């Protein structure tokens, strides 16, 4: 199954309940544990703004309709002086049209009830005070004060500003005082100054008041006063004190307070917490006030929690691993929620100022500043970022990276191939139908490339041709490998006709099963893409596909990069690191022969490690604090040095293809090229343990990943990639002499692939990458189905078959020797 089976949510507030609705909508099981003895919302109200409305719309139209029934659509928004004289009225209808969504003022209890109803039969456990969580390799466990235990695939701490989950993740700390107290109440109220749908703010000196229609003859009112933190946290006054403080304010303000029962007035200190740069780890994360409590100035607290919940469910829905899905969610939310926190604090300083001159300047500014400025600034927090990320239309131009892959393929085939073993009977007709269904879901599987007559300006264009399916019967157990080595890496695509994908079903001669091979042109897919297509095809063929939404047409990866990636400064720092590796005279794999491109051929040899040896390898990697990628890279360097007869200490360079789907607004299940190649170095010496080189590589890659140099490396192709195959000679020469592909490794961590589908047992899922003119050796590795699959791709005649066999054997020997 893609996505977790069950998520545990702590907290049944607005964020927790919205998370339950969104997760259920995504097909994910969820249970809520609430610390309180009953489900209730505090006696105040809020505004569900346009950004939250757009977020809720992704779950269907019902919730918006319910909120409009229960609350009041905001029709007017005014700023006034304390005596009621107007400062400014904002054109609500103009803003609503611009944002294509209303704002709805609603009692918290009404919003709470609507969300609870939408959550259906979601289990909600009350009086469940969590004490701690334990994050394990395949589940997370939560322990409660009364001895109960909850387990799930992921834990969401939506347990408010005093979050137990946050305290365990980041340590206990008191909230940050906002410097003022808030009074809140909701009452039945009628007054000539309170029109249906009206929202009015009254701004004084160190004090404010708000009055909002929330429907059914009710209003929500709030007041604030700037106070030292201790007084705000323990306000001793009552209704009489409020009447004294607001004496002389507008009649409707005083009438509101007078008509409110003393025990209906809630006094709370304004508090927030500084934004976090990381929210969770492993299978645990935060949501809503547990992650980003904020001051009320922007009125975005509940809205941000609703956004969180919707983005969380979308990130988990197609995540190949819950932890990876949670990190994707956090990357999508941390910067935006920090904007809410920092913006609310900055605005609060203006709203709550006690200086007479500053108050006068503030009021003059609000009265005279251009309306367009206000609408533009208000639109920033009230615009919900597209949930599915940017989209494009076909035809679309190839990006520089895609263009380079397309050009390299014209010189010598450049493909990536996924393989999975099916133990059982595979009906070709079912497989044919599954290929058609999966092709329908992925635009990248329905394109060809059109270019000018001189081979420039290539574009992806839509085609209607089905993915070709071949069937062969293999006499040998490793027949799948012979098909990849002999045909799939060597047979070119007709890129002008498309599609840029094909499939092979390799039947075992003894009838025990078959191997499915999915081959993608490297301009449209990477290793994860090929495995994704293979996995989805088998799911559909087995009748266990579930609901996979069709993917949109995407712009190229470079157009999806986060802000701050690319540009001259980032490129310069990345290039300097690569240059420094060269200046250190790092050794490279030396080719035996540099043939012209049309004579180069990608091939592969295969090795695997399984059973106790794999378990020991994984344990040793954990003990030494390095990942499997770093250990494999160190072993590949050792194999290269030994094959070259190096007997002294030497620094070697190795390229690493690093995926970055989790840093982009795309699903893990989408097809595309979302990886970048960067180099790193490690010292090899015959007498030095493998773990020393692995640690050096781990540290170097960690630094470069943090600096996002693998993204900058793709941007570099914008400056260096040739315009056509006819002009690729200098690029090929550069790759041969200095490119990081002379020796490189791609390791996919935790790709999604089930062990069983219906009556089938699955095994051996892995992928192979060709090299074309991009380098000489490209090893690929995965750990799936209880085995580490290592495929050493190589280019003849630069590397001979015998040499490739030695490199593969020496790599495995170096790994096992380190155990």
């Amino acid at each position: 199954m893609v996505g977790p089976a069950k998520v545990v949510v702590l907290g049944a507030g607005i964020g927790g309940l919205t998370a339950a609705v969104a997760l259920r909508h995504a097909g994910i099981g969820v249970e809520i544990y609430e610390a309180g003895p009953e489900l209730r919302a505090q006696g105040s109200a809020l505004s569900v703004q346009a950004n939250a409305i757009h977020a809720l719309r992704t779950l269907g139209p019902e919730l918006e309709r319910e909120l409009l029934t229960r609350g009041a659509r905001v029709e007017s928004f005014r700023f006034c002086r304390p005596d009621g004289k107007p400062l400014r009225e904002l054109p609500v209808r103009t803003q609503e049209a611009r944002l294509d969504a209303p704002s709805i003022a609603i009692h918290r209890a009404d919003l709470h009830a609507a969300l609870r109803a939408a959550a259906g039969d979601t289990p909600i456990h009350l009086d469940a005070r969590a004490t701690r969580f334990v994050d394990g390799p395949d589940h997370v466990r939560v322990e409660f004060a009364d001895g109960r235990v909850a387990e799930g695939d992921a834990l969401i701490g939506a347990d408010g500003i005093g979050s137990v989950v946050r305290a365990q993740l980041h340590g206990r700390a008191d909230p940050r005082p906002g410097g003022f107290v808030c009074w809140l109440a909701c009452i039945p109220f009628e007054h000539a100054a309170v029109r249906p749908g009206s929202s009015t703010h009254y701004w004084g000196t160190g004090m404010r008041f708000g009055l909002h229609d929330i429907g059914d003859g009710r209003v929500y009112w709030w007041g604030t006063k700037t106070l030292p933190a201790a007084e705000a946290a323990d306000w001793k006054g009552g209704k009489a004190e409020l009447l004294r403080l607001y004496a002389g304010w507008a009649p409707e303000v005083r009438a509101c307070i007078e008509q409110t029962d003393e025990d209906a007035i809630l006094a709370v200190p304004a508090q927030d917490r500084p934004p976090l740069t990381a929210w969770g780890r492993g299978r645990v994360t935060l949501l809503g006030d547990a992650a980003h409590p904020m001051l009320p100035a922007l009125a975005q607290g509940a809205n941000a929690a609703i956004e969180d919940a919707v983005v969380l469910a979308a990130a988990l829905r197609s995540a190949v691993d819950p932890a990876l899905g949670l990190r994707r969610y956090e990357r999508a939310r941390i910067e935006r929620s920090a904007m809410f926190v920092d913006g609310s604090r900055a605005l609060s300083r203006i709203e709550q100022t006690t200086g007479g001159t500053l108050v006068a300047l503030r009021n003059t500014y609000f009265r005279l500043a251009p309306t367009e400025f206000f609408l533009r600034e208000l639109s920033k927090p009230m615009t919900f970022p597209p949930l599915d990320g940017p989209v494009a239309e076909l035809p679309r131009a190839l990006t520089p990276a895609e263009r380079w892959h397309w050009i390299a393929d014209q010189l010598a085939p450049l493909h990536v191939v996924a393989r999975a073993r099916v133990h059982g009977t595979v009906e070709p007709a079912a497989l044919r139908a599954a290929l058609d269904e999966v092709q329908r879901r992925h635009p990248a599987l329905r394109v060809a490339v059109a270019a000018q007559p001189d081979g420039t300006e290539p574009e992806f264009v839509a085609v209607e041709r089905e993915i070709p399916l071949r069937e062969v019967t293999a006499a040998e157990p490793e027949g799948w490998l012979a098909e990849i080595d002999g045909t799939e890496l060597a047979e070119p695509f007709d890129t002008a006709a498309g599609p840029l994908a094909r499939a092979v079903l390799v039947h075992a001669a003894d009838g025990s099963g078959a191997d499915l091979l999915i081959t993608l042109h490297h301009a449209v897919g990477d290793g994860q893409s090929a495995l994704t297509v293979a996995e989805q095809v088998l799911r559909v063929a087995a009748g266990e596909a579930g609901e996979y939404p069709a993917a949109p047409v995407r712009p190229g990866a470079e157009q999806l990069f986060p802000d701050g990636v690319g540009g001259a400064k980032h490129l310069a720092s990345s290039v300097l690191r690569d240059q420094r590796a060269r200046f250190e005279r790092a050794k490279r794999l030396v080719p035996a022969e540099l043939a012209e491109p049309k004579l180069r051929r990608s091939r592969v040899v295969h090795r695997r490690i399984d059973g106790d040896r794999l378990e020991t390898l994984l344990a040793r990697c954990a003990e030494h604090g390095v990942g499997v990628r770093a250990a494999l890279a160190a072993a590949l360097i050792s194999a290269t040095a030994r094959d070259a007869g190096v007997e002294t200490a030497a620094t070697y360079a190795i390229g690493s293809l690093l995926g970055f789907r989790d840093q982009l607004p795309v699903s893990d299940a989408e097809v595309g090229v979302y990886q970048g190649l960067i180099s790193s170095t490690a010292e090899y010496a015959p007498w030095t343990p493998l773990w020393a080189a692995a640690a050096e590589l781990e540290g170097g890659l960690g630094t470069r990943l943090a600096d996002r140099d693998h993204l900058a490396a793709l941007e570099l192709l914008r400056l260096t990639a040739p315009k056509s195959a006819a002009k690729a000679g200098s690029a090929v020469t550069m790759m041969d002499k200095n490119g990081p592909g002379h020796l490189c490794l791609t390791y996919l961590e935790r790709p999604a692939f089930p062990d069983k589908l219906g009556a089938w047992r699955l095994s051996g899922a892995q992928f192979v990458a060709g090299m074309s003119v991009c380098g000489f050796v490209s090893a690929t590795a995965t750990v799936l189905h209880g085995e580490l699959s290592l495929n050493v791709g190589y280019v003849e005649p630069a590397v001979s078959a015998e040499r490739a066999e030695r490199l593969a054997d020496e790599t495995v020997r170096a790994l096992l020797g380190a155990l």
Side-chain angles (χ1 to χ4, degrees), residues 234-547:
D234 188 26
W235 190 70
K236 299 294 187 183
K239 177 176 173 177
E241 176 65 9
L242 288 179
L243 288 170
R244 185 189 68 79
L245 289 172
Y246 286 98
W249 286 53
E252 61 270 21
V253 170
R254 298 195 306 275
C256 255
I257 300 172
E258 288 169 351
Q259 294 181 32
T260 304
D261 293 339
E262 179 102 34
D263 58 5
I265 301 172
L266 181 67
V268 295
Q271 297 176 321
D272 69 0
R273 293 185 186 275
L276 294 167
T277 56
W279 287 358
R281 62 174 178 264
R283 295 171 176 267
V284 183
T285 194
L286 304 172
L287 184 147
D289 281 351
H292 46 69
M294 61 192 72
L295 301 180
L298 290 175
Q300 281 288 350
N303 295 279
I306 291 170
E307 285 189 10
D308 285 351
V310 170
V311 174
L312 170 75
L316 287 178
R317 179 180 59 208
S318 57
V320 299
D321 177 89
L324 296 179
L326 295 183
R327 302 297 85 75
R328 179 191 299 279
Y329 151 72
E330 291 165 1
R331 289 187 182 95
R333 297 300 302 158
I334 283 175
E335 186 175 340
R336 180 163 169 82
S337 62
M339 176 193 75
F340 288 144
V341 174
D342 294 338
S344 294
R345 180 160 281 265
L347 183 56
S348 290
R349 286 194 290 268
I350 296 171
E351 292 173 336
Q352 294 297 137
T353 182
T354 58
T357 302
L358 291 176
V359 168
L361 287 172
R362 178 196 68 190
N363 291 354
T364 300
Y365 179 76
F366 265 76
R367 185 165 52 86
L368 299 178
T371 297
E372 180 58 30
F373 168 80
F374 277 108
L375 296 182
R376 186 173 65 249
E377 292 303 303
L378 284 172
S379 293
K380 292 177 182 177
M382 294 174 68
T383 300
F384 180 55
L387 188 59
D388 294 323
V391 297
E393 294 183 353
L394 293 175
R396 78 156 176 84
L398 273 65
T399 68
E402 293 165 343
R403 188 176 72 238
W404 166 244
H405 294 147
W406 175 68
I407 288 171
D409 175 75
Q410 294 173 64
L411 304 175
L414 181 59
H415 307 156
V416 60
V417 190
R419 173 255 181 171
R421 175 73 169 180
V422 180
H423 300 267
T425 302
V426 182
E427 296 294 340
L431 194 64
R432 173 72 268 164
L435 280 166
D436 294 343
E437 169 61 17
V438 173
Q439 185 182 28
R440 181 193 65 79
R441 297 173 181 173
H442 296 288
L445 304 181
R446 305 192 306 273
V447 298
V449 178
Q452 296 299 315
D454 63 356
T456 61
E457 301 180 21
E459 291 183 320
F460 285 128
V461 295
V463 295
E464 297 299 326
R465 298 178 66 209
E466 67 181 14
I467 294 174
L469 171 63
R470 284 194 301 122
E471 290 186 73
V472 298
T473 299
E476 300 297 326
E478 298 292 297
W480 64 272
L481 186 62
E483 279 297 316
I484 293 176
D485 182 64
T487 303
E488 292 307 303
L489 291 178
E491 188 69 25
F493 283 96
D494 183 348
T495 58
L500 306 184
R502 60 185 181 232
V504 186
L505 187 60
V506 184
H507 296 282
D510 62 3
S512 61
D515 291 285
L516 174 65
L517 307 182
I518 297 291
T519 302
L520 302 181
H521 189 292
H522 200 35
V524 298
D526 51 21
Q528 180 166 322
S529 296
L531 281 168
T532 291
V533 174
E535 186 258 353
Q536 291 189 7
V537 167
L538 291 175
R539 279 191 184 278
V540 175
E544 294 193 6
E547 291 296 324

Side-chain angles (χ1 to χ4, degrees), residues 81-375:
R81 301 178 189 275
D83 61 5
K85 293 180 180 178
L87 281 170
R88 184 178 207 107
E89 181 163 354
L90 295 179
V92 170
R93 287 295 188 185
T94 300
Q95 186 74 338
E96 183 176 310
R98 174 179 293 193
L99 297 172
D100 189 30
S103 290
I104 303 170
I106 188 169
H107 197 290
R108 280 183 179 271
D110 290 329
L111 174 57
H112 205 263
L115 292 170
R116 179 67 187 91
D121 59 357
T122 297
I124 300 180
H125 307 274
L126 300 176
D127 209 12
R129 292 184 295 109
T131 55
R132 70 167 191 148
F133 65 81
V134 179
D135 188 15
D138 54 5
H139 72 280
V140 62
R141 185 176 79 253
V142 187
E143 299 173 0
F144 297 91
D146 60 5
R148 278 181 286 179
V149 171
E151 292 185 348
D153 299 299
L155 169 64
I156 312 303
D159 46 343
I161 193 170
S163 169
V164 171
V165 178
R166 179 178 177 132
Q168 183 170 337
L169 287 169
H170 301 287
R172 297 188 180 278
D174 292 333
R176 181 172 58 175
F180 58 100
V181 66
C182 303
W183 304 288
L184 317 167
C186 293
I187 61 169
F189 186 73
E190 292 184 4
H191 195 282
V194 181
R195 303 190 302 273
S198 68
S199 286
T200 306
H201 286 201
Y202 304 81
W203 283 16
T205 300
M207 290 178 60
R208 292 180 299 130
F209 196 89
L211 190 50
H212 310 270
D213 172 39
I214 58 172
D216 293 332
R218 301 168 300 165
V219 298
Y220 164 51
W221 69 259
W222 53 264
T224 66
K225 179 173 175 56
T226 299
L227 288 173
E231 292 184 40
D234 188 26
W235 190 70
K236 299 294 187 183
K239 177 176 173 177
E241 176 65 9
L242 288 179
L243 288 170
R244 185 189 68 79
L245 289 172
Y246 286 98
W249 286 53
E252 61 270 21
V253 170
R254 298 195 306 275
C256 255
I257 300 172
E258 288 169 351
Q259 294 181 32
T260 304
D261 293 339
E262 179 102 34
D263 58 5
I265 301 172
L266 181 67
V268 295
Q271 297 176 321
D272 69 0
R273 293 185 186 275
L276 294 167
T277 56
W279 287 358
R281 62 174 178 264
R283 295 171 176 267
V284 183
T285 194
L286 304 172
L287 184 147
D289 281 351
H292 46 69
M294 61 192 72
L295 301 180
L298 290 175
Q300 281 288 350
N303 295 279
I306 291 170
E307 285 189 10
D308 285 351
V310 170
V311 174
L312 170 75
L316 287 178
R317 179 180 59 208
S318 57
V320 299
D321 177 89
L324 296 179
L326 295 183
R327 302 297 85 75
R328 179 191 299 279
Y329 151 72
E330 291 165 1
R331 289 187 182 95
R333 297 300 302 158
I334 283 175
E335 186 175 340
R336 180 163 169 82
S337 62
M339 176 193 75
F340 288 144
V341 174
D342 294 338
S344 294
R345 180 160 281 265
L347 183 56
S348 290
R349 286 194 290 268
I350 296 171
E351 292 173 336
Q352 294 297 137
T353 182
T354 58
T357 302
L358 291 176
V359 168
L361 287 172
R362 178 196 68 190
N363 291 354
T364 300
Y365 179 76
F366 265 76
R367 185 165 52 86
L368 299 178
T371 297
E372 180 58 30
F373 168 80
F374 277 108
L375 296 182

